[in-house]
Amino acid sequence: MFVTLHLPKPASMNACFVSLCLTRSDGIASSTNTKARSNKRVETALLKENESLDDLILGGLRIIQPRAGYRFSIDAVLLAHFLPGGQKGTIIDLGSGNGAISLLLSALHPQAQIIGVEIQEQMVERARRSAQLNRLTERVSFINADIRTLHHHMDAAVADWVLCNPPFWKENEGKINPHPEAAAARHELKLTLKELIPQAARILKDRGSLALVHRAERLPEIIALLPEHRLQPRRLRPVYPQPDRSAALILLEAQKASRVPLEIKPPLLLRQKGGDWSDEIKSWYPD
């Protein structure tokens, strides 16, 4: 597999005094403070101007994102949680953006090897810094590549899972975001479904699975593209924003070289009637 990983103020006198006192009375607390200061220095070194460091609220993970431009949303969280637990193989995140899904997967599947593929160089560089910040560079890597020509960067049949949160809107639908990162992430400017499906199928092993999150209304289009590439729909879960609304999104698993019948899972509700997160979403983030 052709995968290359590129890794990219003094304490005040009062702080030093506190640290010294803690060393004498509580070595554990002193060690914790020293580690905290070290982590802060690492954060400062990795964070650039006009970027924010955000909590993924899972496993202590944090992600570097631009203050303006594309920032991850609930779609990424839904897709990461769609995989059955305990994955141990290779998971490839196509269109990995700033790395949100890849980072979440690292916490949900600690024995898996995760590779993100992203065409936008600045997002890849940001994702690599996030992996470094979270000390995940041995398990989470990112490559800068165009998914449409992925055969130049990655062998066939290398992945147990391929995940993708692709652009939801066709190029001629809706208003295109003026920010280039957000525009490419939301509209099919650099990747269409017809281009995505064959590339995902090529890198999957037999019995490996593709998992997608997409707009519910594009489900027929997705289903129609699968058979030509030996992909069989296996699990489908509709996502509802509220109890009295139609499904807005779908989560779909399609398995390669499989004849397993389609299982339609119970609906996933995002918010309760009052606007609070649903019990299922809350269960992902226990207090």
Side-chain angles (χ1 to χ4, degrees):
M1 177 166 39
F2 310 118
V3 176
T4 306
L5 173 62
H6 302 277
L7 302 175
K9 33 186 148 177
S12 66
M13 290 301 295
N14 286 339
C16 290
F17 176 74
V18 171
S19 178
L20 180 60
C21 292
L22 287 171
T23 301
R24 292 172 177 168
S25 61
D26 188 347
I28 296 175
S30 173
S31 174
T32 300
N33 285 349
T34 301
K35 184 178 179 180
R37 288 196 299 273
S38 175
N39 289 344
K40 190 65 179 176
R41 286 194 293 269
V42 171
E43 291 171 13
T44 301
L46 291 175
L47 202 62
K48 295 184 178 180
E49 188 178 0
N50 298 321
E51 291 180 338
S52 65
L53 184 59
D54 302 307
D55 193 347
L56 285 171
I57 326 176
L58 186 67
L61 294 170
R62 289 167 296 170
I63 183 171
I64 297 170
Q65 300 191 98
R67 294 187 183 278
Y70 182 74
R71 296 169 65 85
F72 85 93
S73 64
I74 189 67
D75 311 336
V77 178
L78 297 176
L79 185 57
H81 283 272
F82 185 55
L83 264 66
Q87 301 300 322
K88 297 179 181 179
T90 299
I91 304 174
I92 297 179
D93 176 13
L94 294 181
S96 51
N98 294 315
I101 293 174
S102 295
L103 295 173
L104 291 168
L105 290 172
S106 74
L108 294 168
H109 305 281
Q111 297 186 63
Q113 197 74 24
I114 300 150
I115 302 167
V117 180
E118 172 58 47
I119 191 172
Q120 300 190 74
E121 187 175 0
Q122 68 275 21
M123 298 179 90
V124 173
E125 192 271 338
R126 213 176 280 131
R128 287 172 178 159
R129 283 187 282 127
S130 288
Q132 185 178 350
L133 174 69
N134 290 287
R135 300 179 181 178
L136 289 170
T137 53
E138 291 186 3
R139 287 203 305 115
V140 181
S141 59
F142 297 92
I143 61 174
N144 183 200
D146 187 335
I147 294 168
R148 296 170 294 188
T149 58
L150 194 56
H151 53 280
H152 293 313
H153 306 272
M154 194 172 288
D155 291 334
V158 294
D160 298 281
W161 280 89
V162 172
L163 274 72
C164 189
N165 178 13
F168 282 1
W169 305 93
K170 295 182 180 180
E171 188 173 358
N172 59 355
E173 290 180 324
K175 184 178 180 181
I176 296 178
N177 194 293
H179 195 287
E181 285 187 11
R186 294 170 183 164
H187 277 80
E188 293 182 339
L189 304 179
K190 298 180 183 291
L191 181 71
T192 66
L193 274 173
K194 286 184 178 181
E195 294 166 333
L196 167 65
I197 300 297
Q199 290 294 343
R202 190 188 69 83
I203 61 175
L204 275 172
K205 301 174 182 176
D206 282 356
R207 307 290 180 180
S209 287
L210 166 66
L212 293 171
V213 58
H214 218 301
R215 290 163 53 206
E217 63 195 71
R218 296 193 68 180
L219 177 60
E221 182 183 353
I222 297 169
I223 296 292
L225 290 168
L226 299 178
E228 181 183 350
H229 305 288
R230 302 174 62 222
L231 292 170
Q232 169 73 22
R234 181 173 182 180
R235 282 189 303 145
L236 173 64
R237 192 168 192 194
V239 181
Y240 292 80
Q242 289 184 336
D244 56 350
R245 302 275 297 278
S246 299
L249 302 173
I250 54 96
L251 294 162
L252 178 68
E253 175 190 351
Q255 193 170 47
K256 184 176 179 180
S258 169
R259 294 185 179 180
V260 177
L262 173 63
E263 179 184 6
I264 300 180
K265 307 293 287 185
L268 173 55
L269 183 65
L270 294 184
R271 293 185 181 273
Q272 301 171 9
K273 271 192 174 181
D276 196 12
W277 290 111
S278 69
D279 290 341
E280 182 170 0
I281 299 295
K282 287 178 182 177
S283 72
W284 297 347
Y285 300 100
D287 293 332

